[in-house]
Amino acid sequence: MRIPTSFVTQPEPRTIGIYARGRQLLAGNFLFAGTLIEAPDRSIWELSSQAAEVNEIIHGFTWLDDLAAVGDANARAHAQKWVQEWISLFGSAKGPGWTPSLAGRRLIRWINHGIFLLKGSDQVQSERFFLSLTQQTIFLSKRWHKARTGLPRFEALCGVIYASLSLSGMASHAREAIEILAKDCEKQIGADGGIISRNPEELLEVFALLNWVVIALNGAGLTAPAPICSALERIAPALRAVRHTDGGLARFHGGGRGIEGRLDHALSTSGIPTLPSAQLYMGFARLAAGRTSLVLDSASPPSGTASHNAHASTLAFELSSGRRQLIVNCGSGVVFGQDWRRAGRATVSHSTLSIDGFSSSRLAPGNRVRGITREYLIEVPDKVPAEFTPLSDGRRLEAAHNGYQRTHGLTHARTLDMSSDGRAISGEDLLTTLSKSDRAIFDSAMDREESLGIPFTIRFHLHPEVLSSLDLGGSAISLTLRSGEIWIFRHDSKAEMRIEPSVYLENGRLRPREAEQVVLSGRAMSYSTRVRWSLSKAQDTPTALRDFLQKDQPDTDVP
């Protein structure tokens, strides 16, 4: 077979990187999977370690996006050097980078930044580059079926299609993959545009991959199969449903907010204008009005092998106002180690009600797969009804789950009302029994508590940039955003209200960020316990305070 020596058409950098991360790499500050290594003048491949999470990041070459974001001669020299070193060290189909999903991810980055990587290269370097691309494409065309269902399989299939159509003389390797991808779009993308992991950031990755495949097919003069186009049309409104007003994704089931601008760029590239309707998308419900958006997890978490990154977050919500986040979930602690990962998945790390000492889904003991410990959710809620109702001045969302029915005989029901201008939200959390058998289980739980009541806590985790203060008398809490907006939190119940420390977990940081949470705690003494609360936007903040809040304030990490 003749080795390609050129691209079919000039590739474009379709993946988005972060300039600041690129500058860190050039300075020798390598931050991967929560580990910072300061190693100026050392190669990235000297960091190859026993940690599977680190190897997955560096061999997937997503950091190449960050170097391309810097884009100067020094960044290009580092990128070229590290790519050539990878070919020398790992190009013989051996090592941690030779899984189908990583090969697909790597191929897409190499091709996207092909011009960046080849500029100024000599003939030998160029030939080695194209030879490696060819070898990886052939490998992937034979091994894509080994990829795990979900995002890894989409990365593998889209990688082989994208590479085969981008390299001269390689188009024949794409045929089978195109057929399989079309079938997978029908099987793996639900009617509501969702995927089995229920991870919004993974859904964005799948959407971007399918976008690139369609672009590659069109560039090769081919028509994208209808199932691929139909999948994109289903996913677009689903992504808009889990998009906050600040442009970021709601953080659920291991997903982050996504790189700034990437969601809007992917939606724009697709050219699909469909907006979400009043329904659930991938199990999430959205309320939005004015400058306010709220996204609620209104379905059971994934279970079984699909739940290795899932969280016990049923009925938790996130809330944004304009370009600022207000109520959040703690997020995924994967990059900070196994203990933080486990903590981030618990119900207490989400803005919802939990019975003290319990999560709404239970985490089973884990097993190690390719060096990564996988723990799966079991005993997830199997009844999670949700319903929208129009109001005279807004909309109502009602949802419930039976995650505590087996242990305490209790069902958690949550009602959220948002005014038509988005300036007021009222909520109600209800713990109740629904049957005679529920009441018997509740009575047994009460006996274990010596009739002191079932302790519960309702948590509202705040974004680290939100300043909270308990008002005089303790009847309300003021929440001040960096934009100068002030929201007032109140409750109407016997529950105790207080402010407690919290954390905000996000990728790309060395440690979790310090944050706070509003906490309502009480005890369920009867078969029905109700807590009502409200969030309302106050009048405009004085200019002097607003200017102070908008000044850059240093982030504080947890020691």
PDB file of all heavy atoms in Angstrom, residues 351-378:
ATOM      1  N   SER A 351     -27.190  19.618  45.058  1.00  0.00           N
ATOM      2  CA  SER A 351     -28.167  20.564  45.618  1.00  0.00           C
ATOM      3  C   SER A 351     -29.545  19.924  45.631  1.00  0.00           C
ATOM      4  O   SER A 351     -30.390  20.171  44.768  1.00  0.00           O
ATOM      5  CB  SER A 351     -28.148  21.866  44.803  1.00  0.00           C
ATOM      6  OG  SER A 351     -26.911  22.521  44.952  1.00  0.00           O
ATOM      7  N   THR A 352     -29.739  19.097  46.635  1.00  0.00           N
ATOM      8  CA  THR A 352     -31.004  18.395  46.806  1.00  0.00           C
ATOM      9  C   THR A 352     -31.122  17.920  48.243  1.00  0.00           C
ATOM     10  O   THR A 352     -30.253  18.204  49.077  1.00  0.00           O
ATOM     11  CB  THR A 352     -31.110  17.204  45.833  1.00  0.00           C
ATOM     12  OG1 THR A 352     -32.421  16.639  45.924  1.00  0.00           O
ATOM     13  CG2 THR A 352     -30.078  16.128  46.140  1.00  0.00           C
ATOM     14  N   LEU A 353     -32.183  17.199  48.539  1.00  0.00           N
ATOM     15  CA  LEU A 353     -32.411  16.645  49.871  1.00  0.00           C
ATOM     16  C   LEU A 353     -31.758  15.286  49.991  1.00  0.00           C
ATOM     17  O   LEU A 353     -31.782  14.482  49.053  1.00  0.00           O
ATOM     18  CB  LEU A 353     -33.915  16.529  50.138  1.00  0.00           C
ATOM     19  CG  LEU A 353     -34.379  15.918  51.466  1.00  0.00           C
ATOM     20  CD1 LEU A 353     -35.680  16.561  51.934  1.00  0.00           C
ATOM     21  CD2 LEU A 353     -34.547  14.399  51.381  1.00  0.00           C
ATOM     22  N   SER A 354     -31.180  15.022  51.146  1.00  0.00           N
ATOM     23  CA  SER A 354     -30.659  13.688  51.444  1.00  0.00           C
ATOM     24  C   SER A 354     -30.996  13.324  52.874  1.00  0.00           C
ATOM     25  O   SER A 354     -31.095  14.195  53.742  1.00  0.00           O
ATOM     26  CB  SER A 354     -29.143  13.620  51.233  1.00  0.00           C
ATOM     27  OG  SER A 354     -28.472  14.488  52.141  1.00  0.00           O
ATOM     28  N   ILE A 355     -31.232  12.051  53.115  1.00  0.00           N
ATOM     29  CA  ILE A 355     -31.384  11.539  54.475  1.00  0.00           C
ATOM     30  C   ILE A 355     -29.989  11.282  55.017  1.00  0.00           C
ATOM     31  O   ILE A 355     -29.152  10.667  54.350  1.00  0.00           O
ATOM     32  CB  ILE A 355     -32.245  10.266  54.488  1.00  0.00           C
ATOM     33  CG1 ILE A 355     -33.691  10.634  54.121  1.00  0.00           C
ATOM     34  CG2 ILE A 355     -32.191   9.590  55.846  1.00  0.00           C
ATOM     35  CD1 ILE A 355     -34.647   9.457  54.075  1.00  0.00           C
ATOM     36  N   ASP A 356     -29.717  11.805  56.200  1.00  0.00           N
ATOM     37  CA  ASP A 356     -28.361  11.776  56.743  1.00  0.00           C
ATOM     38  C   ASP A 356     -27.803  10.351  56.766  1.00  0.00           C
ATOM     39  O   ASP A 356     -28.451   9.420  57.260  1.00  0.00           O
ATOM     40  CB  ASP A 356     -28.345  12.354  58.159  1.00  0.00           C
ATOM     41  CG  ASP A 356     -28.642  13.845  58.179  1.00  0.00           C
ATOM     42  OD1 ASP A 356     -28.949  14.401  57.101  1.00  0.00           O
ATOM     43  OD2 ASP A 356     -28.571  14.455  59.268  1.00  0.00           O
ATOM     44  N   GLY A 357     -26.612  10.216  56.195  1.00  0.00           N
ATOM     45  CA  GLY A 357     -25.944   8.919  56.161  1.00  0.00           C
ATOM     46  C   GLY A 357     -26.307   8.062  54.965  1.00  0.00           C
ATOM     47  O   GLY A 357     -25.780   6.947  54.823  1.00  0.00           O
ATOM     48  N   PHE A 358     -27.178   8.566  54.086  1.00  0.00           N
ATOM     49  CA  PHE A 358     -27.632   7.781  52.942  1.00  0.00           C
ATOM     50  C   PHE A 358     -27.561   8.631  51.673  1.00  0.00           C
ATOM     51  O   PHE A 358     -27.676   9.856  51.720  1.00  0.00           O
ATOM     52  CB  PHE A 358     -29.075   7.297  53.135  1.00  0.00           C
ATOM     53  CG  PHE A 358     -29.234   6.279  54.237  1.00  0.00           C
ATOM     54  CD1 PHE A 358     -29.330   6.680  55.568  1.00  0.00           C
ATOM     55  CD2 PHE A 358     -29.282   4.925  53.939  1.00  0.00           C
ATOM     56  CE1 PHE A 358     -29.475   5.743  56.585  1.00  0.00           C
ATOM     57  CE2 PHE A 358     -29.431   3.986  54.946  1.00  0.00           C
ATOM     58  CZ  PHE A 358     -29.523   4.390  56.273  1.00  0.00           C
ATOM     59  N   SER A 359     -27.376   7.944  50.533  1.00  0.00           N
ATOM     60  CA  SER A 359     -27.534   8.565  49.225  1.00  0.00           C
ATOM     61  C   SER A 359     -28.764   7.983  48.561  1.00  0.00           C
ATOM     62  O   SER A 359     -29.224   6.899  48.923  1.00  0.00           O
ATOM     63  CB  SER A 359     -26.299   8.308  48.346  1.00  0.00           C
ATOM     64  OG  SER A 359     -25.243   9.191  48.678  1.00  0.00           O
ATOM     65  N   SER A 360     -29.284   8.701  47.583  1.00  0.00           N
ATOM     66  CA  SER A 360     -30.492   8.231  46.898  1.00  0.00           C
ATOM     67  C   SER A 360     -30.211   7.026  46.003  1.00  0.00           C
ATOM     68  O   SER A 360     -31.133   6.327  45.588  1.00  0.00           O
ATOM     69  CB  SER A 360     -31.104   9.355  46.063  1.00  0.00           C
ATOM     70  OG  SER A 360     -30.152   9.897  45.171  1.00  0.00           O
ATOM     71  N   SER A 361     -28.932   6.774  45.690  1.00  0.00           N
ATOM     72  CA  SER A 361     -28.495   5.558  45.006  1.00  0.00           C
ATOM     73  C   SER A 361     -27.278   5.034  45.755  1.00  0.00           C
ATOM     74  O   SER A 361     -26.527   5.808  46.354  1.00  0.00           O
ATOM     75  CB  SER A 361     -28.123   5.826  43.552  1.00  0.00           C
ATOM     76  OG  SER A 361     -29.221   6.314  42.815  1.00  0.00           O
ATOM     77  N   ARG A 362     -27.076   3.722  45.727  1.00  0.00           N
ATOM     78  CA  ARG A 362     -25.978   3.136  46.480  1.00  0.00           C
ATOM     79  C   ARG A 362     -24.826   2.782  45.560  1.00  0.00           C
ATOM     80  O   ARG A 362     -25.027   2.315  44.440  1.00  0.00           O
ATOM     81  CB  ARG A 362     -26.456   1.881  47.229  1.00  0.00           C
ATOM     82  CG  ARG A 362     -25.432   1.339  48.234  1.00  0.00           C
ATOM     83  CD  ARG A 362     -26.108   0.458  49.278  1.00  0.00           C
ATOM     84  NE  ARG A 362     -26.587  -0.780  48.709  1.00  0.00           N
ATOM     85  CZ  ARG A 362     -25.836  -1.889  48.595  1.00  0.00           C
ATOM     86  NH1 ARG A 362     -24.581  -1.858  48.988  1.00  0.00           N
ATOM     87  NH2 ARG A 362     -26.343  -2.987  48.101  1.00  0.00           N
ATOM     88  N   LEU A 363     -23.599   3.001  46.066  1.00  0.00           N
ATOM     89  CA  LEU A 363     -22.389   2.730  45.302  1.00  0.00           C
ATOM     90  C   LEU A 363     -21.878   1.345  45.652  1.00  0.00           C
ATOM     91  O   LEU A 363     -21.653   1.026  46.825  1.00  0.00           O
ATOM     92  CB  LEU A 363     -21.331   3.785  45.641  1.00  0.00           C
ATOM     93  CG  LEU A 363     -20.172   3.994  44.672  1.00  0.00           C
ATOM     94  CD1 LEU A 363     -20.688   4.458  43.319  1.00  0.00           C
ATOM     95  CD2 LEU A 363     -19.202   5.021  45.242  1.00  0.00           C
ATOM     96  N   ALA A 364     -21.705   0.497  44.631  1.00  0.00           N
ATOM     97  CA  ALA A 364     -21.212  -0.856  44.841  1.00  0.00           C
ATOM     98  C   ALA A 364     -19.687  -0.858  44.891  1.00  0.00           C
ATOM     99  O   ALA A 364     -19.039   0.034  44.342  1.00  0.00           O
ATOM    100  CB  ALA A 364     -21.697  -1.778  43.728  1.00  0.00           C
ATOM    101  N   PRO A 365     -19.084  -1.864  45.551  1.00  0.00           N
ATOM    102  CA  PRO A 365     -17.623  -1.968  45.550  1.00  0.00           C
ATOM    103  C   PRO A 365     -17.080  -2.014  44.125  1.00  0.00           C
ATOM    104  O   PRO A 365     -17.701  -2.574  43.224  1.00  0.00           O
ATOM    105  CB  PRO A 365     -17.365  -3.295  46.283  1.00  0.00           C
ATOM    106  CG  PRO A 365     -18.578  -3.504  47.124  1.00  0.00           C
ATOM    107  CD  PRO A 365     -19.723  -2.933  46.333  1.00  0.00           C
ATOM    108  N   GLY A 366     -15.910  -1.409  43.924  1.00  0.00           N
ATOM    109  CA  GLY A 366     -15.373  -1.271  42.580  1.00  0.00           C
ATOM    110  C   GLY A 366     -14.405  -2.364  42.185  1.00  0.00           C
ATOM    111  O   GLY A 366     -13.954  -3.161  43.016  1.00  0.00           O
ATOM    112  N   ASN A 367     -14.099  -2.422  40.934  1.00  0.00           N
ATOM    113  CA  ASN A 367     -13.049  -3.284  40.397  1.00  0.00           C
ATOM    114  C   ASN A 367     -12.162  -2.456  39.479  1.00  0.00           C
ATOM    115  O   ASN A 367     -12.570  -1.414  38.991  1.00  0.00           O
ATOM    116  CB  ASN A 367     -13.661  -4.470  39.635  1.00  0.00           C
ATOM    117  CG  ASN A 367     -14.498  -4.014  38.451  1.00  0.00           C
ATOM    118  OD1 ASN A 367     -15.429  -3.232  38.616  1.00  0.00           O
ATOM    119  ND2 ASN A 367     -14.198  -4.503  37.271  1.00  0.00           N
ATOM    120  N   ARG A 368     -10.939  -2.931  39.261  1.00  0.00           N
ATOM    121  CA  ARG A 368      -9.982  -2.170  38.464  1.00  0.00           C
ATOM    122  C   ARG A 368     -10.009  -2.639  37.022  1.00  0.00           C
ATOM    123  O   ARG A 368      -9.937  -3.829  36.736  1.00  0.00           O
ATOM    124  CB  ARG A 368      -8.568  -2.303  39.041  1.00  0.00           C
ATOM    125  CG  ARG A 368      -8.425  -1.584  40.372  1.00  0.00           C
ATOM    126  CD  ARG A 368      -6.984  -1.583  40.861  1.00  0.00           C
ATOM    127  NE  ARG A 368      -6.114  -0.741  40.058  1.00  0.00           N
ATOM    128  CZ  ARG A 368      -6.037   0.581  40.167  1.00  0.00           C
ATOM    129  NH1 ARG A 368      -6.821   1.219  41.014  1.00  0.00           N
ATOM    130  NH2 ARG A 368      -5.190   1.261  39.417  1.00  0.00           N
ATOM    131  N   VAL A 369     -10.118  -1.666  36.104  1.00  0.00           N
ATOM    132  CA  VAL A 369     -10.116  -1.934  34.672  1.00  0.00           C
ATOM    133  C   VAL A 369      -9.048  -1.044  34.051  1.00  0.00           C
ATOM    134  O   VAL A 369      -9.149   0.182  34.107  1.00  0.00           O
ATOM    135  CB  VAL A 369     -11.497  -1.642  34.038  1.00  0.00           C
ATOM    136  CG1 VAL A 369     -11.446  -1.898  32.540  1.00  0.00           C
ATOM    137  CG2 VAL A 369     -12.579  -2.483  34.690  1.00  0.00           C
ATOM    138  N   ARG A 370      -8.010  -1.658  33.462  1.00  0.00           N
ATOM    139  CA  ARG A 370      -6.883  -0.924  32.859  1.00  0.00           C
ATOM    140  C   ARG A 370      -6.309   0.108  33.838  1.00  0.00           C
ATOM    141  O   ARG A 370      -6.039   1.250  33.486  1.00  0.00           O
ATOM    142  CB  ARG A 370      -7.313  -0.241  31.559  1.00  0.00           C
ATOM    143  CG  ARG A 370      -7.687  -1.208  30.438  1.00  0.00           C
ATOM    144  CD  ARG A 370      -7.808  -0.464  29.116  1.00  0.00           C
ATOM    145  NE  ARG A 370      -8.217  -1.363  28.051  1.00  0.00           N
ATOM    146  CZ  ARG A 370      -9.482  -1.537  27.682  1.00  0.00           C
ATOM    147  NH1 ARG A 370     -10.444  -0.883  28.291  1.00  0.00           N
ATOM    148  NH2 ARG A 370      -9.782  -2.361  26.704  1.00  0.00           N
ATOM    149  N   GLY A 371      -6.185  -0.308  35.092  1.00  0.00           N
ATOM    150  CA  GLY A 371      -5.570   0.552  36.092  1.00  0.00           C
ATOM    151  C   GLY A 371      -6.491   1.572  36.708  1.00  0.00           C
ATOM    152  O   GLY A 371      -6.084   2.340  37.575  1.00  0.00           O
ATOM    153  N   ILE A 372      -7.761   1.631  36.284  1.00  0.00           N
ATOM    154  CA  ILE A 372      -8.717   2.602  36.816  1.00  0.00           C
ATOM    155  C   ILE A 372      -9.780   1.860  37.619  1.00  0.00           C
ATOM    156  O   ILE A 372     -10.374   0.892  37.138  1.00  0.00           O
ATOM    157  CB  ILE A 372      -9.381   3.405  35.684  1.00  0.00           C
ATOM    158  CG1 ILE A 372      -8.327   4.177  34.880  1.00  0.00           C
ATOM    159  CG2 ILE A 372     -10.419   4.364  36.240  1.00  0.00           C
ATOM    160  CD1 ILE A 372      -8.882   4.922  33.691  1.00  0.00           C
ATOM    161  N   THR A 373     -10.011   2.288  38.853  1.00  0.00           N
ATOM    162  CA  THR A 373     -11.040   1.668  39.684  1.00  0.00           C
ATOM    163  C   THR A 373     -12.413   2.150  39.235  1.00  0.00           C
ATOM    164  O   THR A 373     -12.664   3.357  39.178  1.00  0.00           O
ATOM    165  CB  THR A 373     -10.825   2.010  41.168  1.00  0.00           C
ATOM    166  OG1 THR A 373      -9.544   1.525  41.584  1.00  0.00           O
ATOM    167  CG2 THR A 373     -11.900   1.368  42.024  1.00  0.00           C
ATOM    168  N   ARG A 374     -13.286   1.213  38.925  1.00  0.00           N
ATOM    169  CA  ARG A 374     -14.641   1.540  38.500  1.00  0.00           C
ATOM    170  C   ARG A 374     -15.621   1.081  39.567  1.00  0.00           C
ATOM    171  O   ARG A 374     -15.644  -0.086  39.939  1.00  0.00           O
ATOM    172  CB  ARG A 374     -14.968   0.885  37.158  1.00  0.00           C
ATOM    173  CG  ARG A 374     -14.056   1.338  36.019  1.00  0.00           C
ATOM    174  CD  ARG A 374     -14.589   0.852  34.676  1.00  0.00           C
ATOM    175  NE  ARG A 374     -13.704   1.178  33.576  1.00  0.00           N
ATOM    176  CZ  ARG A 374     -13.655   2.370  32.979  1.00  0.00           C
ATOM    177  NH1 ARG A 374     -14.459   3.333  33.393  1.00  0.00           N
ATOM    178  NH2 ARG A 374     -12.820   2.598  31.992  1.00  0.00           N
ATOM    179  N   GLU A 375     -16.402   2.023  40.097  1.00  0.00           N
ATOM    180  CA  GLU A 375     -17.449   1.715  41.057  1.00  0.00           C
ATOM    181  C   GLU A 375     -18.788   2.056  40.419  1.00  0.00           C
ATOM    182  O   GLU A 375     -18.962   3.137  39.862  1.00  0.00           O
ATOM    183  CB  GLU A 375     -17.253   2.519  42.347  1.00  0.00           C
ATOM    184  CG  GLU A 375     -15.993   2.129  43.107  1.00  0.00           C
ATOM    185  CD  GLU A 375     -15.807   2.978  44.354  1.00  0.00           C
ATOM    186  OE1 GLU A 375     -15.911   4.205  44.251  1.00  0.00           O
ATOM    187  OE2 GLU A 375     -15.560   2.407  45.420  1.00  0.00           O
ATOM    188  N   TYR A 376     -19.729   1.148  40.517  1.00  0.00           N
ATOM    189  CA  TYR A 376     -20.996   1.294  39.821  1.00  0.00           C
ATOM    190  C   TYR A 376     -22.123   1.585  40.807  1.00  0.00           C
ATOM    191  O   TYR A 376     -22.101   1.151  41.960  1.00  0.00           O
ATOM    192  CB  TYR A 376     -21.306   0.028  39.024  1.00  0.00           C
ATOM    193  CG  TYR A 376     -20.240  -0.325  38.026  1.00  0.00           C
ATOM    194  CD1 TYR A 376     -19.335  -1.358  38.263  1.00  0.00           C
ATOM    195  CD2 TYR A 376     -20.109   0.393  36.845  1.00  0.00           C
ATOM    196  CE1 TYR A 376     -18.338  -1.670  37.348  1.00  0.00           C
ATOM    197  CE2 TYR A 376     -19.121   0.094  35.922  1.00  0.00           C
ATOM    198  CZ  TYR A 376     -18.243  -0.936  36.182  1.00  0.00           C
ATOM    199  OH  TYR A 376     -17.252  -1.231  35.273  1.00  0.00           O
ATOM    200  N   LEU A 377     -23.122   2.334  40.326  1.00  0.00           N
ATOM    201  CA  LEU A 377     -24.298   2.607  41.147  1.00  0.00           C
ATOM    202  C   LEU A 377     -25.260   1.425  41.068  1.00  0.00           C
ATOM    203  O   LEU A 377     -25.523   0.884  39.994  1.00  0.00           O
ATOM    204  CB  LEU A 377     -25.014   3.869  40.665  1.00  0.00           C
ATOM    205  CG  LEU A 377     -24.312   5.206  40.897  1.00  0.00           C
ATOM    206  CD1 LEU A 377     -25.211   6.348  40.436  1.00  0.00           C
ATOM    207  CD2 LEU A 377     -23.940   5.403  42.353  1.00  0.00           C
ATOM    208  N   ILE A 378     -25.778   1.039  42.222  1.00  0.00           N
ATOM    209  CA  ILE A 378     -26.815   0.008  42.281  1.00  0.00           C
ATOM    210  C   ILE A 378     -27.951   0.533  43.146  1.00  0.00           C
ATOM    211  O   ILE A 378     -27.826   1.557  43.823  1.00  0.00           O
ATOM    212  CB  ILE A 378     -26.269  -1.322  42.841  1.00  0.00           C
ATOM    213  CG1 ILE A 378     -25.702  -1.111  44.260  1.00  0.00           C
ATOM    214  CG2 ILE A 378     -25.203  -1.902  41.924  1.00  0.00           C
ATOM    215  CD1 ILE A 378     -25.265  -2.400  44.925  1.00  0.00           C
TER     216      ILE A 378
END
